[in-house]
Amino acid sequence: MATTTGTKKKDFLTIGQLSTEEIHDWLKEALALKKAHKAGKDTPYLKGKVLGMIFEKSSTRTRVSFEAGMLQLGGYALFLSSKDIQLGRGETIHDTAKVLSRYVDALMIRTFGHETVEEFAKYADVPVINGLTDLHHPTQVLADLLTIYEYKGKLAGLKICYLGDGNNNMCHSLLEGAVKTDIDISVASPEGYFPDPDILAAAKNEAGQKGVKVEIGTNPEEMIQNADVVITDVWASMGQEGEAKKRLEDLKGYQVNESLCKLAKDDFLFLHCLPAHRGEEVAEGIIDGPHSIVFDEAENRLHVHKAILKKLLENY
């Protein structure tokens, strides 16, 4: 049974819930954990702790990085697909959350509807981490921010350009993460693919208070001008397979390719959360080219996840 020391539990469901100071603190922690791991000096901060990982959406990077991260921190991770637990047979989220809270010290959930992780967080007695929903992908964006910082030496004052489907979990979390860390962000999407209006309005409101630019437009050539970082994602995510043909047609003008990237800064970085569909949302010459840091980005999922786990569990 999970135990507490009296500290109120903290969940991690969106980037927007974090303060700028917290983001920088978590990134600093991730850098320290990465440095220690590279030196072969992992510390078992989470010895005896157990992470339950619920997957309604399958994943390579999310599963392996959280599982390896718990092992490196001295803990243990349990993989729980919806087919393996009673949640997939009609047990309520309330009951599942209450029961699992008696067995594990934290829960990571990768699912479709964002309301699912919100409901888990409401009823679970242990910290809940959003590993991905259709609306948000906060753990990935923390890894992106860490990777950008490693290459650029700063975050504030940079410009990110996101191209493709703006009504996308990556775009939503990037909007929140960019504004929180004083990065200008532009989004190029066709009509009908703009970001969620509530998330966009909140980002623009905070950006206005901080003097950060948030731009949304349909012209990729305009949006990518002078970008320090160029980011995209697949055009048809898991659960959107039936829309794939229409999406390929609607988004074909938003491919990240050599011609378009000439409008970004000469030393731009290319990021992609992976898996990528080469020849669709990104040209091979970009993702396999000198500006691409997608595998460093993927590696940093490991160290960011360790930082998240340590921060949520060390005082709980």
Side-chain angles (χ1 to χ4, degrees), residues 74 106 127 177 243 283 295 297 299 306 312:
E243 307 169 28
F295 298 115
E297 174 190 10
E299 178 189 347
K306 289 189 293 185
L312 294 184

Side-chain angles (χ1 to χ4, degrees), residues 219-240:
N219 189 321
E221 288 81 6
E222 290 180 5
M223 293 297 104
I224 202 173
Q225 290 281 347
N226 297 313
D228 296 283
V229 183
V230 178
I231 303 180
T232 190
D233 194 6
V234 294
W235 290 342
S237 297
M238 197 177 301
Q240 298 174 328

Side-chain angles (χ1 to χ4, degrees), residues 62-79:
T62 301
R63 177 181 178 178
V64 176
S65 56
F66 267 110
E67 194 162 332
M70 279 299 289
L71 290 171
Q72 290 175 16
L73 293 178
Y76 188 78
L78 294 171
F79 173 79

Side-chain angles (χ1 to χ4, degrees), residues 3 5 10 45-46 49-51 70 73 104-107 126-127 129 306-316:
T3 58
T5 58
K10 182 179 179 68
Y45 294 108
L46 300 184
K49 301 290 187 181
V50 178
L51 171 68
M70 279 299 289
L73 293 178
V104 303
D105 299 280
L107 287 167
V126 297
I129 300 167
K306 289 189 293 185
I308 293 169
L309 290 163
K310 182 172 181 288
K311 287 294 182 181
L312 294 184
L313 286 172
E314 63 182 349
N315 296 316
Y316 182 72

Side-chain angles (χ1 to χ4, degrees), residues 181-249:
T181 54
D182 301 297
I183 299 174
D184 294 335
I185 182 167
S186 61
V187 177
S189 300
E191 295 284 354
Y193 291 84
F194 283 2
D196 177 89
D198 292 335
I199 294 173
L200 179 58
K204 284 188 171 182
N205 180 60
E206 186 170 354
Q209 297 174 18
K210 301 180 74 175
V212 177
K213 293 180 181 178
V214 174
E215 299 178 286
I216 311 293
T218 58
N219 189 321
E221 288 81 6
E222 290 180 5
M223 293 297 104
I224 202 173
Q225 290 281 347
N226 297 313
D228 296 283
V229 183
V230 178
I231 303 180
T232 190
D233 194 6
V234 294
W235 290 342
S237 297
M238 197 177 301
Q240 298 174 328
E241 291 84 358
E243 307 169 28
K245 185 175 180 180
K246 182 179 186 301
R247 285 174 163 271
L248 287 175
E249 182 63 27

